[in-house]
Every structure is written in C-alpha cells, then in structure tokens.
Amino acid sequence: MELVEIARRLRIDVARLAFAQPVAYVYNPLAYAWKPHRAYLERYGNGEPQVILLGMNPGPFGMAQTGVPFGDVGMVRDWLGIEAPVELPAREHPKRLVTGFRCPRGEVSGQRLWGWARDNFATPQRFFETFFVANYCPLAFLEASGRNRTPDKLPRKESLALFKACDSALRRTVERQRPELVVGIGRFAADRAAAALKGSGIRIGIMPHPSPASPAANRGWAAQATRALAELGIAIGGANS
C-alpha cells in the first residue's frame, strides 16, 4: 500500500535527524507504534478523500501512545476499531512513559476531533469517504522537564531538515489521495501545507486546533470546526441528517 510506504520512508528519514537542547527526548511513533499506525493507514487510507485534515505532530497522550493522528486511546480503540501492540521509544522520558493502549490519560484534542467526526458521521466509514486525518510531522519533542516542544519552536537549522522530509511525505500523500483541499488544523499546519504544496493546484484552508491550550477551542470547538469547513465549501450535515 502506497501510504504505508510513504510512512515507512518518512520514518527512516526523520530517524537520521539530530536535535539539540532544549529538546532532550524525541519520540518517533512511526517506529515504536508502527503496528497501529500501519493498521490505521491500511483500514482508512485506501480512498480518495475530498479533504485531508492536517495536524501538527503527535501529542504525548495521543499519537505518541497509539500511533494514530490525534490518537486518544478511547477514540482509536472504540470508534476507529484499532488496537495493536506498541513498543517503547529508544529513549523514554520518566515523566512521559509510553504505555500504548493502556495509557490511562485521554488526549483532549483527539477526543474533540474524533468525537466531532463520530457525532457528525456516525461511522468511521462515512467520515473517511470525505476526510482523511494525517499529521505533518511524525515526531514528538520533549524537554528535560517533560514539557512538550512543538516543531515550530525548533531552530531553523533543525527545522529545515525536518521540514524537507515532512514536505516530501505530504506531497506524496496528496499525489496518492488526490484531495481537493488540505485543511491545516491550526496555523502551523496550514502554513506548512501551503509551502509544501505550492504550485500543486491544491487548495489550502485552515480550521481551529482543538487543543485545550487554546482558549477559543474551549468554547465550543466542534461548532467552530464545522463553521470553518463550511466557509471552505465543505458542508457538515450531522449523523442523522
């Protein structure tokens, strides 16, 4: 399957990169959580969706645990129907342990995103007829304190090499899936999509990020997401409409 090969190539490319302080730990779920990630691609990545929803990078209690973008354990297991063995990162932060599908903490961003999909489409099959969800960067970065460090905070020397690999993977994904629209979930993802896909003819849009760190997202994110997509010409009718 082509998306599996794209992910495999990206896994190898980013594994070669080095990151300096304040990044103290780098988690690559395309390596240690490869089995559930591959299951996600094989189950839901075979179509030609109208829209790719593009996130930034793995959250510590989401994709870093399950290998699935915005991968809250409960949503991945109970709604997407994916559960597979997860190994350990090469180096593990003692405050950010990877316990895979035994992770006791939920990821609010994933609960919101996949909960919105469930509430509006009822089944994953209906959702993935129109959408596919991916992350631009597959790596999670942790500081010595355990604090999450996002890719937009990396120094230019490090980000250039990382973005080169991620841009290539995104372009190949778009070539395979042929969407009409790539929607960045948050400004960083939208900007990276615009840079990577410049000249491709693919429309780029933006929708709010569901992170609880965003005050706006804590005031009815689902309605905001639906409204943002409607402004891009994507009508969301609800599961029972």
Side-chain angles (χ1 to χ4, degrees), residues 201-224:
I202 301 293
R203 284 201 300 138
I204 308 297
I206 187 172
M207 64 189 291
H209 197 286
S211 171
S214 166
N218 296 325
R219 298 190 296 268
W221 177 84
Q224 296 172 38

Side-chain angles (χ1 to χ4, degrees), residues 96-129:
R96 291 289 181 264
L97 300 180
V98 172
T99 55
F101 286 84
R102 295 182 292 108
C103 180
R105 289 189 58 169
E107 189 196 51
V108 175
S109 293
Q111 292 168 351
R112 287 175 174 171
L113 178 72
W114 294 116
W116 167 83
R118 178 198 59 202
D119 293 346
N120 283 285
F121 293 87
T123 68
Q125 290 72 25
R126 284 187 60 192
F127 173 76
F128 284 100
E129 286 174 2

Side-chain angles (χ1 to χ4, degrees), residues 16-201:
R16 297 170 175 161
L17 303 178
F19 302 90
Q21 294 290 341
V23 171
Y25 295 80
V26 179
Y27 286 10
N28 184 358
L30 297 189
Y32 65 82
W34 175 248
K35 289 181 180 179
H37 183 76
R38 179 170 182 161
Y40 171 72
L41 297 179
E42 290 179 338
R43 182 173 298 189
Y44 297 119
N46 284 307
E48 293 186 358
Q50 183 182 4
V51 182
I52 291 178
L53 301 179
L54 188 70
M56 177 187 281
N57 74 314
F61 306 109
M63 186 175 175
Q65 300 290 336
T66 65
V68 175
F70 293 87
D72 171 75
V73 170
M75 284 295 179
V76 172
R77 182 184 57 221
D78 301 333
W79 194 62
L80 295 178
I82 294 172
E83 185 171 8
V86 174
E87 299 173 4
L88 295 177
R91 291 181 65 247
E92 191 175 26
H93 194 294
K95 293 182 180 180
R96 291 289 181 264
L97 300 180
V98 172
T99 55
F101 286 84
R102 295 182 292 108
C103 180
R105 289 189 58 169
E107 189 196 51
V108 175
S109 293
Q111 292 168 351
R112 287 175 174 171
L113 178 72
W114 294 116
W116 167 83
R118 178 198 59 202
D119 293 346
N120 283 285
F121 293 87
T123 68
Q125 290 72 25
R126 284 187 60 192
F127 173 76
F128 284 100
E129 286 174 2
T130 302
F131 295 96
F132 183 71
V133 180
N135 268 335
Y136 171 73
C137 171
L139 301 179
F141 305 97
L142 298 173
E143 299 178 5
S145 65
R147 180 184 179 185
N148 187 54
R149 190 168 186 83
T150 52
D152 58 315
K153 302 296 193 300
L154 296 172
R156 178 174 172 79
K157 182 179 179 180
E158 294 176 359
S159 65
L160 282 176
L162 175 64
F163 292 174
K164 180 180 179 180
C166 297
D167 286 356
S168 177
L170 178 59
R171 284 192 292 267
R172 291 183 63 196
T173 297
V174 165
E175 288 169 2
R176 159 61 186 84
Q177 295 202 300
R178 299 193 289 183
E180 299 174 12
L181 178 65
V182 174
V183 178
I185 303 174
R187 172 56 60 188
F188 171 85
D191 288 347
R192 290 313 313 160
L197 302 173
K198 185 177 181 180
S200 68

